[in-house]
Amino acid sequence: MGLKRREFLQQAGRVLGAIGISEALWLRLGSRYLQALAQPTPRKLALLVGVDKYPDSPLHGCVTDVDLQRELLVHRFGFVPSDILTLTDAQATRDNIETAFVTHLSEQAKPGDVVVFHFSGCGSRVSLGESPGIIENSLVPADDVLPLLANRAVNDILEETLLLLVRSLATENAIAILDTSYPYPGFPKNGNFRIRSRPRPTVGQPSLAELTFAEDLRSRPNLRPDAAVLAAGANSQLAAEQEWNGFTAGLFTYALTQTLWWATPASSFSVCFSRAAGHVDSKLAGLSQQPQIRHHDLTVAPAVNFSNLMLNSPASDGAVTAVEDGGKTVHLWLGGLSPGVLECSGGSVFAVDSSAGDLLLLRGRTGLAAKAQVLDKPSRTDGQITVGELVREEIRVLPRNIGLTVALDSGLERIERVDATSAFATVPQVAVVGSEQPADCRFGRVPETTLAETVSPHEPALSQRRYGLFSLAQMLIPDTEGDGGEAVKVAVQRLTPQLKALQAGKLLRLTVNEGSSHLKVRAELATLAPQARVVAQREPVRAEQSYRLEPLTAESEKSANAYILSMSKSSRSQCRLYNDSGRPVYFAVFCSDSAGRLSVLGTEGKDFVAGMSEPIAPGENLTVPAAGAILFEGFANGWAVSGPIGLAETVIIFSESPFAQTLAAIEAEMQQTRDALPIRVLLNPLNVARAVLEDLHAASIPGVQKVGISTDDWALDVNVWATLSFVYRVV
């Protein structure tokens, strides 16, 4: 199919970047799903299927996907639990899936009802007819069989059969979500990602029972002309799942469900769907999984009146799933939190989204499920906390010792792994894990493209081996490749500055809180050349602004294709920051490139003070850099997009308090430089990132004291800061 291992799947921490989704695409994906889910209908039905236990190709995140969808449908969209049927592992045979679709969905759904079908598992392709060139996509059930020479029949469900089932429903509010892929690239894993394709070439053909069932559906009257499908990728692309700390899930399902926890009737969906779940770490290049809508009427975003969508509840991070110990302990499902924040969330405080406003102190977590203690406060006026109540982040607690985790590539020899483990042990706050374990990046050999002498094409001589840092999808991080013959310990020493930069980026991205901040701010990213236009906008979901983000221009919407936002290296950019609150707001702007280098953006010349110690007044806005600021000799207006080709990010941090420690850390570096450019690569980014967290912690002290918790970690009050993130591809 032409996809190489190194072309497979980029890993940019957040799933949005990882699977290369643009705001425009998330808008279309989410709008179609929300439009179906949010209908005020008498009944909402769902059939959720997840298969991990295949005979020869086990997966690990498909049953979790079912849990993600089920909790979302119940707690955010008002589905009655008894109207959701789940089939997992051994239950999910071909016959059971098709029978359940007919009995649970087709025979019960009435006109106007909502119907959701979800499948997570392996996909494949099967031959139709005598010609091996005629193939069709298929879904692999739990009772997968190996075709024989005498009998090439398999138990697959044809994708066409599924579409016919959806088209046969009596309601137009039906949608199918498929987190699977069809071609097999020749390897079941790529770095830390497992591919959801059956690991064998197309050799089977549909069973007679499957063909008969499909033909019966095809002959039914009143079939709707089309079926809406949200797919994890295009037909020729791969879908993947990833292991996080304590759980594994499909990239697409986790991204989709997490953003829907945040969706509100009044919020802009271009904001909601531009922020997908995921842990932010290294930036990479390459696109291989671009979710899509398979529906001819949805090639453009549908005209939906978002303000009239009848969501079941406000934006949330999770819900109460059980109450015990006389109401003093509750169990939570935290499907709305990003994996990075979830991993560090021990000791965080959540508020119950009710009039009583009870506060919950997180005490333990297993995967997406957590246990919390109810903090002492005046008695509730309406009784104890009840199952189903929603919770939202109130105080984010982050350990002060957050480090960087490096996975050693499986291609390293034993002595190389021993040397690497020893070398990384000398780098503070860097931990080494095995190739299969969750990590922030990978360390391994750089594949040789040209060698004068080599032992074998895959085993270069020791004197020619080179080492570098890679993404979780085994994409080389720019500027980390060493020279041939470099010893492993020397390579680790050489890479230490890049490791610190990646760690600094990780810390800053852990402050991203577009889904929980209450600060009334917003930001726009614009290009000034070669074309002046606003390319992306951000605002906190829960800020309860009376305003809305202005729609992007028609030209901007036209340029936002199905992939992640792209910006040319020749372009010049600018941020416009708005303070719509009633208090002064300070800010800091950081940029990181695909190599992990972290820069800070000032206003004019060496004036990094503006924003960090001089705020934006209430109701005012400003641009960074300021209009007319000279950045490079002969160039004015905006900063030049720079760095290696690949994913880059601009992070804007607002706070109600000055960035005193951040400014001091930056000014200490600036004493070592002479140029006056308002964008500066940080020499010690880790010091600056830690200073940012110290400043946010200091700004949060009143709120933390009011809640009544005491901690030696960073404790950040979501009411006093907002971090907005723009991810884009430098081309």
Side-chain angles (χ1 to χ4, degrees):
M1 57 159 209
L3 285 178
K4 298 179 181 179
R5 177 182 292 263
R6 286 172 54 78
E7 294 173 338
F8 167 54
L9 182 65
Q10 64 185 4
Q11 161 63 14
R14 273 180 291 116
V15 178
L16 170 67
I19 52 183
I21 311 170
S22 71
E23 291 180 49
L25 181 59
W26 271 112
L27 174 62
R28 297 202 297 274
L29 288 169
S31 297
R32 187 62 183 89
Y33 196 26
L34 271 169
Q35 193 176 19
L37 295 182
Q39 299 297 319
T41 62
R43 196 169 191 189
K44 301 180 179 183
L45 300 165
L47 173 58
L48 312 178
V49 180
V51 185
D52 285 328
K53 296 180 179 179
Y54 287 103
D56 59 351
S57 56
L59 298 173
H60 304 289
C62 299
V63 175
T64 301
D65 287 359
V66 168
D67 294 336
L68 284 164
Q69 282 281 15
R70 185 181 186 281
E71 299 298 325
L72 174 80
L73 296 179
V74 170
H75 297 296
R76 290 290 284 116
F77 295 103
F79 278 61
V80 177
S82 59
D83 284 335
I84 300 175
L85 177 61
T86 63
L87 297 176
T88 58
D89 287 335
Q91 301 171 323
T93 63
R94 181 191 66 80
D95 185 63
N96 284 353
I97 294 171
E98 293 178 343
T99 299
F101 197 108
V102 172
T103 58
H104 184 67
L105 302 181
S106 300
E107 294 179 358
Q108 295 194 85
K110 303 291 190 299
D113 286 351
V114 167
V115 170
V116 173
F117 174 83
H118 179 100
F119 177 85
S120 284
C122 281
S124 190
R125 285 173 170 165
V126 296
S127 299
L128 293 180
E130 296 299 325
S131 172
I134 304 177
I135 59 175
E136 185 168 330
N137 295 336
S138 63
L139 309 179
V140 182
D143 55 341
D144 181 28
V145 297
L146 183 68
L148 306 173
L149 290 177
N151 181 8
R152 296 177 59 238
V154 295
N155 280 335
D156 292 17
I157 299 173
L158 295 175
E159 186 182 62
E160 182 190 5
T161 303
L162 174 63
L163 298 182
L164 288 168
L165 283 166
V166 177
R167 291 172 57 197
S168 68
L169 292 168
T171 176
E172 68 282 2
N173 297 320
I175 193 163
I177 301 100
L178 304 180
D179 198 339
T180 188
S181 54
Y182 308 106
Y184 179 60
F187 46 90
K189 289 197 65 180
N190 194 77
N192 286 57
F193 296 98
R194 187 171 294 276
I195 299 165
R196 290 185 168 178
S197 303
R198 180 165 55 195
R200 59 177 183 259
T202 302
V203 293
Q205 63 185 25
S207 65
L208 178 60
E210 174 68 10
L211 293 172
T212 302
F213 183 71
E215 184 59 34
D216 177 66
L217 291 171
R218 199 176 291 110
S219 64
R220 292 185 182 183
N222 302 320
L223 284 177
R224 290 189 292 113
D226 205 352
V229 177
L230 301 188
N235 281 336
S236 62
Q237 295 172 344
L238 304 174
E241 62 181 29
Q242 180 183 352
E243 180 183 358
W244 284 280
N245 192 316
F247 68 100
T248 301
L251 292 179
F252 176 57
T253 299
Y254 197 5
L256 184 65
T257 56
Q258 189 205 3
T259 52
L260 289 171
W261 276 94
W262 295 352
T264 66
S267 61
S268 165
F269 284 102
S270 64
V271 174
C272 294
F273 294 104
S274 67
R275 280 277 297 127
H279 167 65
V280 182
D281 49 35
S282 55
K283 303 272 189 252
L284 315 157
L287 287 168
S288 289
Q289 185 182 347
Q290 297 128 26
Q292 62 172 213
I293 304 169
R294 296 178 187 166
H295 190 296
H296 72 278
D297 291 332
L298 295 171
T299 55
V300 296
V304 180
N305 184 354
F306 296 123
S307 62
N308 292 332
L309 288 176
M310 302 295 293
L311 299 185
N312 183 51
S313 49
S316 310
D317 290 307
V320 176
T321 57
V323 180
E324 60 184 22
D325 192 22
K328 297 179 181 179
T329 302
V330 299
H331 293 258
L332 304 175
W333 177 265
L334 299 176
L337 283 186
S338 70
V341 173
L342 189 67
E343 181 179 352
C344 300
S345 59
S348 292
V349 176
F350 291 81
V352 180
D353 208 355
S354 64
S355 57
D358 293 81
L359 298 177
L360 309 174
L361 178 64
L362 217 60
R363 288 301 193 187
R365 178 186 66 86
T366 302
L368 290 154
K371 183 178 288 190
Q373 169 192 341
V374 180
L375 294 176
D376 292 334
K377 62 166 292 173
S379 300
R380 288 171 59 98
T381 57
D382 58 347
Q384 292 184 347
I385 296 172
T386 57
V387 172
E389 289 193 84
L390 300 176
V391 298
R392 50 182 168 78
E393 189 180 30
E394 191 72 15
I395 304 291
R396 179 177 298 181
V397 175
L398 300 173
R400 291 180 182 270
N401 62 346
I402 295 173
L404 195 75
T405 303
V406 180
L408 300 183
D409 191 79
S410 58
L412 294 173
E413 295 176 356
R414 182 179 180 278
I415 186 62
E416 291 175 300
R417 292 197 297 272
V418 171
D419 288 346
T421 302
S422 174
F424 279 115
T426 65
V427 184
Q429 294 191 316
V430 173
V432 171
V433 297
S435 176
E436 301 287 320
Q437 295 177 265
D440 297 300
C441 60
R442 300 172 69 89
F443 174 81
R445 292 188 210 154
V446 178
E448 298 291 334
T449 54
T450 56
L451 291 173
E453 295 180 6
T454 181
V455 176
S456 75
H458 304 291
E459 283 295 323
L462 288 173
S463 62
Q464 297 170 324
R465 291 179 183 176
R466 297 173 294 155
Y467 301 96
L469 295 176
F470 297 80
S471 72
L472 298 188
Q474 293 185 313
M475 300 291 293
L476 180 66
I477 297 175
D479 301 334
T480 65
E481 178 180 353
D483 296 327
E486 184 181 42
V488 170
K489 292 186 177 181
V490 174
V492 172
Q493 293 173 355
R494 172 181 56 81
L495 291 169
T496 297
Q498 286 95 329
L499 293 169
K500 296 299 183 185
L502 292 173
Q503 185 182 356
K506 176 179 179 178
L507 291 181
L508 288 183
R509 294 178 189 109
L510 284 173
T511 72
V512 173
N513 66 338
E514 293 172 32
S516 61
S517 176
H518 293 264
L519 207 58
K520 295 184 179 180
V521 293
R522 51 192 165 117
E524 295 176 347
L525 179 65
T527 56
L528 303 178
Q531 180 184 15
R533 60 186 178 89
V534 175
V535 295
Q537 304 171 101
R538 296 286 185 274
E539 67 178 348
V541 174
R542 297 192 178 108
E544 299 178 355
Q545 297 95 330
S546 58
Y547 62 86
R548 301 275 183 85
L549 288 179
E550 293 296 323
L552 295 177
T553 64
E555 189 63 33
S556 295
E557 290 287 5
K558 188 186 303 182
S559 65
N561 57 25
Y563 312 114
I564 199 166
L565 173 69
S566 296
M567 298 180 68
S568 169
K569 293 188 70 169
S570 63
S571 63
R572 295 194 302 279
S573 303
Q574 194 175 62
C575 292
R576 178 168 291 275
L577 315 180
Y578 297 82
N579 177 13
D580 294 283
S581 72
R583 299 182 59 184
V585 172
Y586 303 82
F587 68 89
V589 181
F590 297 95
C591 301
S592 63
D593 63 20
S594 59
R597 282 185 292 263
L598 194 65
S599 303
V600 61
L601 192 62
T603 53
E604 296 185 49
K606 288 187 177 180
D607 186 14
F608 285 88
V609 174
M612 294 189 191
S613 63
E614 297 176 7
I616 307 174
E620 297 297 321
N621 65 81
L622 57 78
T623 57
V624 181
I630 303 298
L631 296 190
F632 299 93
E633 183 177 356
F635 290 92
N637 298 325
W639 82 85
V641 175
S642 60
I645 291 175
L647 284 181
E649 184 175 18
T650 295
V651 175
I652 303 168
I653 307 175
F654 297 92
S655 174
E656 291 188 349
S657 297
F659 288 89
Q661 297 187 59
T662 304
L663 184 58
I666 292 172
E667 288 181 332
E669 289 196 346
M670 291 174 62
Q671 295 174 4
Q672 306 175 42
T673 62
R674 294 182 179 181
D675 62 271
L677 300 179
I679 184 168
R680 187 175 312 283
V681 176
L682 297 174
L683 302 178
N684 196 338
L686 195 52
N687 285 354
V688 175
R690 287 171 174 160
V692 169
L693 284 161
E694 292 292 350
D695 282 328
L696 297 181
H697 174 76
S700 302
I701 288 175
V704 174
Q705 291 178 338
K706 184 178 179 180
V707 168
I709 65 169
S710 177
T711 177
D712 294 329
D713 294 323
W714 289 308
L716 314 181
D717 181 357
V718 298
N719 295 285
V720 302
W721 109 93
T723 299
L724 309 179
S725 168
F726 296 92
V727 178
Y728 48 91
R729 181 174 303 285
V730 177
V731 296

